[in-house]
């Protein structure tokens, strides 16, 4: 066990955990931030996507000991009032079915748009490739992302 | 208006109690935030000081805010929005002033709290309308009494009561208290569908805001003070059982509270259909946190031993080949098919296969339980709370009324959460450790412990005469461990000489209902065969189907055909018109059609695709759907899109294979699910306009698209695919 100081959604947290603990479980079990989802644990589904500084990472494979003083952003902290343009677009397009994958989808798309505000269809597809949606909402996800790109 | 008697044994209308302050008796306060139903981040609705329960579905606040309980499990099929919409319609309220709550299991009030068979809307339709209409009636009566005017003169509009002659108005909240004390009316008026103003309009997902901001909603998100985390290790292969456990190392790991074996169902317990559990003995690890429990399980030394044959996919193939070659059990025979085949000028015979599939709900199986000597409290994702309450009562030795089940939002179902062994496991674990516990399946636990879609195989044969007319039709279909055939479905009823046979092979691999059971294979096979048949007969594939359906409508063969040929033809005609069928396509694009009827709804699809280096690129899918009245159109479109993607994805990419009883795919690195870039670039959905009773959409869009896909692949490449996952066959056709 070791104590880590983390900057999550602009707040400082201290956790005393096994250094190998993935950020996913630190967030969910220790910080009670459960918006970040568990889907596979091996970086294959994207449900656990968070931002490390501005880059999308799979928190299920990110040991807490490797975070250092980089900023962590989770779905809960993506916007102050739940009104990030993508969150609004998701509601406008009524994207979710079960909804379980959607936090990861939004976080991944948000990182994409930050790095590349005008992605082509192919760039969107490539960037979103790692985010599974078992319910098959892919066409709506793409439409929601594109509506933000155009706007 | 339709006048409907309320006396049909619905206990919910007999019970009218007034709840004092808060009134959250039925509420699920952990999940319920007071947000308007159409929540798009608007300001939260003002909470009333007092709630009045009008009936089991409806509470009205003194300020006119309405709470509607959504009775059925929400697994992504959108019932948590669409079922309350039906209540709100008949209650005649402003949807923006409605709060939706997930109802707990309550067999006193609700009937059929189940998610399965695409039946929630179809079977809930009447009672949901009655709930709303009864409450509206009682509010009108309360106003009439107070105002001293005749009942018939009191009208409603969007949550307001009105008496036109005197100009009096009041919002529902003003009369909620009085209405709640009134007797339940003997008959009520239902709206004419032409008066609907909520049903048939698109309303956003009531949980949308919570989903996109990551609020706790799902079973895995649930927590309670003092809650422990548990995992249950099952045998690595079907057919194995526990021999011995050495848990010394695991026990001494940090954060570990206990390690012990459990037996989910007692040996002498007579299992219900939903108690399927291939791994009855498990080794449980309980600890403080998920990661610590995951580490400790790795330190367990468990010996498993074979108790039954350890099956492999290769062996399954051989067994299926042998059985398929034998005569099988005849389940339908019309005319004299054998004689027709004997005299046929030409016989077409094709065989189709599909592998086992895992459900792979995005949220793995999990459940919270807190069990004491007196009662059991369970919270989490289940499709069958009503059934599992019985299993839990039996296993725990508690009376039914001491079992309390609450449902969270569920990260997918697809049939997997019909089988609630994980609820029993969670309860046993909580009882043993004497603490609240959340049982979590890892993805590997989930994928290797399925109640899988069975492996199937079907052979179709058609007999043609010299002129290419269809003389007879024969299907022989089987699987491990069940046949996929529905003998009375199309084209039965449309062919004079028809033979259907089934066979099956036993297996110890557990199977269950997987989105559109059996249809999820047989539709694709049958629709691909009809495409080849049309080609052999020199007919357009839609024309052939319409001719057969016209025959079935005019002079049906047999008298128990399981479809309505006119509605069937309706979706084909609609898809023909909307897809631009018959018009020229860009170079390299192939177009295929299919139509199917299951779960009371009709769906036809046209797929346009190209194949580049063995990789299909789906340009567009055009869908025509007849599901009666469409309650929430945009959400219905979403369901059809999802079913379409799901059908294409599984037919193209997915399979679960076995070696010595163990699944070869244990996570998404080896189990292929369709991904973003592989999904159709566009999906169009058209509904047949209808006043028919609404039917379900969770399953019907999935089966036919598998056939449309195979047919489009043929038109694009000139090669037919017969064996799912098609991607393998496409790759094997690549030159060199
Ligand atoms: S849980 Fe991290 S990618 Fe699946
Ligand atoms: S909405 Fe269910 S997994 Fe994406």
């Amino acid at each position: 066990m070791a104590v880590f100081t983390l900057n999550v959604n602009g707040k400082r947290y201290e956790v005393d955990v096994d250094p190998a603990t993935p950020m996913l479980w630190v967030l969910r079990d220790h910080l009670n931030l459960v918006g970040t989802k568990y889907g596979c644990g091996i970086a294959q589904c994207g449900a656990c996507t968070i931002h490390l500084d501005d880059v999308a990472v799979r928190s299920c494979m990110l040991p807490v000991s490797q975070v250092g003083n980089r900023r962590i952003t989770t779905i809960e902290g993506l916007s102050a009032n739940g009104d990030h343009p993508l969150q609004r677009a998701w509601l406008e397009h009524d994207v979710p079915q079960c909804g379980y994958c959607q936090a990861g989808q939004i976080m991944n798309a948000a990182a994409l748009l930050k790095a590349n505000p005008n992605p082509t269809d192919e760039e969107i597809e490539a960037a979103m490739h790692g985010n599974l949606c078992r319910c098959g909402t892919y066409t709506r996800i793409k439409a929601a992302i594109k509506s933000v790109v155009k706007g | 208006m339709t006048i409907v008697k309320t006396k049909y044994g619905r206990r919910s209308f007999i019970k009218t109690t007034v709840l004092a302050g808060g009134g959250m008796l039925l509420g699920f306060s952990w999940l319920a935030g007071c947000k308007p139903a159409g929540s798009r981040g608007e300001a939260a609705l003002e909470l009333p000081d007092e709630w009045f329960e009008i009936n089991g579905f409806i509470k009205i606040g003194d300020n006119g805010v309405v709470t509607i309980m959504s009775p059925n499990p929400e697994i992504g099929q959108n019932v948590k929005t669409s079922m309350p919409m039906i209540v709100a319609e008949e209650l005649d309220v402003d949807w923006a002033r409605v709060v939706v709550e997930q109802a707990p299991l309550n067999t006193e009030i609700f009937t059929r709290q189940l998610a399965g068979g695409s039946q929630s809307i179809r079977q809930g339709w009447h009672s949901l309308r009655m709930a709303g209409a009864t409450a509206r009636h009682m509010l009108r009566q309360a106003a009439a009494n107070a105002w001293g005017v005749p009942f018939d003169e009191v009208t409603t509009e969007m949550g307001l009561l009105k008496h036109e002659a005197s100009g009096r108005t009041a919002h529902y909240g003003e009369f909620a208290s009085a209405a709640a004390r009134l007797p339940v009316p003997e008959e009520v008026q239902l709206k004419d569908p032409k008066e609907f103003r909520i049903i048939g309009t698109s309303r956003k997902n009531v949980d949308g805001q919570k989903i996109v901001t990551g609020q706790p909603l799902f079973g895995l998100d649930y927590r309670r003070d003092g809650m422990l985390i548990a995992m249950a290790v099952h045998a690595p292969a079907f057919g194995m059982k526990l021999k011995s456990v050495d848990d010394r190392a695991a026990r001494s790991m940090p954060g570990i509270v206990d390690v012990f074996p459990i037996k989910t169902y007692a040996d002498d317990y007579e299992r219900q259909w939903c108690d399927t559990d291939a791994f009855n003995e498990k080794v449980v690890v309980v600890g403080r946190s998920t990661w610590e429990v995951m580490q400790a399980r790795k330190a367990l030394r468990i010996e498993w031993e074979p108790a039954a044959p350890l099956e492999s996919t290769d062996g399954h193939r051989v067994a299926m080949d042998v059985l398929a070659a034998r005569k099988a059990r005849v389940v339908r025979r019309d005319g004299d098919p054998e004689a027709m085949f004997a005299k046929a000028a030409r016989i077409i015979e094709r065989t189709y296969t599909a592998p086992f599939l895992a459900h792979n709900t995005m949220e793995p199986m999990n459940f919270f339980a807190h069990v004491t000597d007196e009662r059991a409290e369970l919270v989490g994702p289940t499709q069958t709370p009503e059934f599992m309450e019985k299993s839990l009562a039996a296993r725990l030795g508690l009376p039914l009324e001491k079992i309390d089940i609450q449902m969270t939002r569920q990260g997918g179902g697809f049939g997997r959460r019909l089988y609630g062994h994980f609820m029993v496991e969670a309860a046993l674990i909580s009882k043993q450790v004497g603490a609240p516990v959340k049982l979590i399946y890892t993805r590997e636990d989930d994928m290797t412990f399925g109640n899988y879609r069975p492996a199937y195989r079907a052979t179709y044969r058609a007999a043609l005469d010299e002129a290419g007319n269809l003389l007879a039709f024969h299907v022989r279909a089987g699987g491990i461990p069940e046949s996929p055939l529905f003998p009375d479905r199309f084209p039965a009823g449309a062919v004079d000489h028809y033979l259907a046979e089934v066979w099956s092979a036993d297996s110890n691999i557990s199977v269950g209902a997987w989105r559109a059971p059996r249809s999820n294979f047989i539709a694709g096979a049958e629709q691909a065969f009809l495409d080849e048949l049309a080609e052999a007969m020199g007919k357009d594939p839609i024309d052939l189907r319409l001719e057969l359906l016209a025959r079935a409508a005019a002079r049906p063969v047999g008298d128990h055909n399981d479809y309505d040929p006119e509605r069937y033809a309706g979706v084909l005609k609609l898809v023909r018109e909307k897809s631009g069928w018959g018009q020229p396509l860009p170079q390299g694009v192939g177009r295929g059609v299919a139509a199917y009827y299951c779960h009371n709804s009709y769906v036809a699809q046209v797929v346009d695709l190209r194949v580049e280096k063995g990789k299909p690129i789906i340009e567009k899918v055009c869908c025509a759907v007849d599901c009666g009245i469409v309650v929430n159109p945009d959400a219905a479109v979403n369901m059809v899109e999802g079913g379409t993607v799901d059908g294409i994805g599984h037919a193209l990419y997915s399979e679960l294979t076995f070696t010595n009883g163990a699944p070869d795919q244990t996570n998404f690195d080896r189990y292929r699910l369709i991904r973003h870039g592989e999904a159709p670039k566009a999906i169009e959905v058209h509904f047949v306009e209808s006043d028919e009773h609404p039917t379900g959409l969770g399953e019907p869009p999935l089966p036919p698209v598998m056939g449309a896909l195979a047919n489009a692949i043929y038109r694009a490449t000139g090669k037919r695919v017969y064996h799912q996952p098609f991607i393998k066959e496409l790759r094997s056709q690549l030159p060199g």
Side-chain angles (χ1 to χ4, degrees), chain B residues 257-510:
Chain B
V257 173
D258 207 348
V259 180
F260 50 90
I262 57 165
K263 202 171 225 187
T264 308
Y265 295 105
D267 291 335
D268 58 355
Y269 167 68
E270 201 171 310
R271 294 192 193 186
Q272 304 183 78
W273 66 272
C274 55
D275 290 325
T276 308
D277 177 2
F279 304 109
N280 201 34
E281 288 178 321
K282 299 154 189 107
V283 180
V284 171
V285 181
V286 186
R288 284 182 321 214
S289 74
T290 312
W291 181 248
E292 287 168 321
V293 172
M294 281 178 169
Q295 299 316 298
R297 345 175 7 166
K298 290 188 202 150
L300 284 172
R301 307 236 177 293
I302 310 179
E303 275 188 276
W304 307 94
E305 61 187 353
L310 305 180
E311 302 172 24
S312 296
T313 297
D314 289 343
H316 287 157
R317 270 194 208 112
V318 173
M320 291 214 270
D321 285 349
V322 169
L323 285 161
R326 289 190 194 149
K327 268 211 165 311
R329 189 162 62 86
V330 175
V331 285
R332 176 161 173 161
R333 182 201 301 275
D334 297 315
D336 191 350
E338 287 86 352
M340 291 297 140
F341 275 97
K343 70 172 215 195
R346 187 173 165 202
I347 293 173
I348 306 169
E349 176 177 326
R350 299 288 182 268
T351 293
Y352 303 83
T353 64
F356 284 95
L357 294 175
H359 290 84
N360 290 331
T361 59
M362 213 63 217
E363 179 192 18
M365 298 306 109
N366 67 89
F367 232 85
F368 168 88
H370 188 198
V371 178
T372 61
D373 288 342
E374 291 81 46
R375 59 191 289 267
E377 186 192 354
L378 287 107
V379 183
T382 168
Q383 293 179 244
T384 47
E386 209 171 318
F387 288 96
M388 290 312 300
E389 185 184 46
K390 299 193 188 92
S391 309
L392 285 157
R395 187 65 177 102
L396 299 171
L398 287 171
L400 276 183
E401 59 275 15
K402 299 291 182 192
I403 312 279
D404 176 19
I405 301 178
Q406 311 232 22
M407 284 168 281
T408 56
R409 193 177 179 85
Q410 319 194 12
F414 312 109
R416 181 61 182 87
R417 294 188 220 276
L418 294 166
Y419 310 98
H421 54 86
F422 45 86
M423 299 170 75
V424 181
E425 290 153 21
L428 292 174
I429 298 165
S430 170
K431 191 173 171 178
Q432 169 93 17
V433 297
V437 161
K438 182 165 66 183
L439 170 70
I440 299 178
Y441 276 44
T442 62
R443 174 59 57 195
E444 290 82 1
D445 290 337
D446 188 280
M447 201 179 288
T448 58
F449 186 173
N451 288 315
Y452 305 114
R453 196 284 299 270
Y456 291 127
R457 172 186 166 119
T459 299
Y460 284 89
R461 294 165 72 226
L464 304 182
D465 68 13
E466 301 283 348
N469 296 309
L470 178 61
L471 296 175
F473 194 93
H474 174 206
V475 51
R476 180 183 290 169
I480 301 176
E482 59 159 31
S483 162
L485 196 65
F486 295 92
D488 296 325
R489 286 200 182 155
F490 184 75
V495 187
D496 287 311
H497 305 278
Y498 175 89
L499 178 63
E501 297 173 282
V502 298
W503 53 267
S504 59
D506 283 344
S507 170
N508 55 40
I509 293 167
S510 50

Side-chain angles (χ1 to χ4, degrees), chain B residues 115 174 346 403 467 602 667:
Chain B
E174 294 171 61
R346 187 173 165 202
I403 312 279
Y602 299 79
N667 204 324

Side-chain angles (χ1 to χ4, degrees), chain B residues 84-103:
Chain B
M85 281 173 67
I86 300 168
V87 178
E89 178 70 67
E90 292 290 350
L91 182 58
D92 197 17
V93 286
D94 179 359
W95 184 246
R97 311 248 317 146
V98 171
V99 179
V100 172
E101 273 184 45
Q102 175 70 56

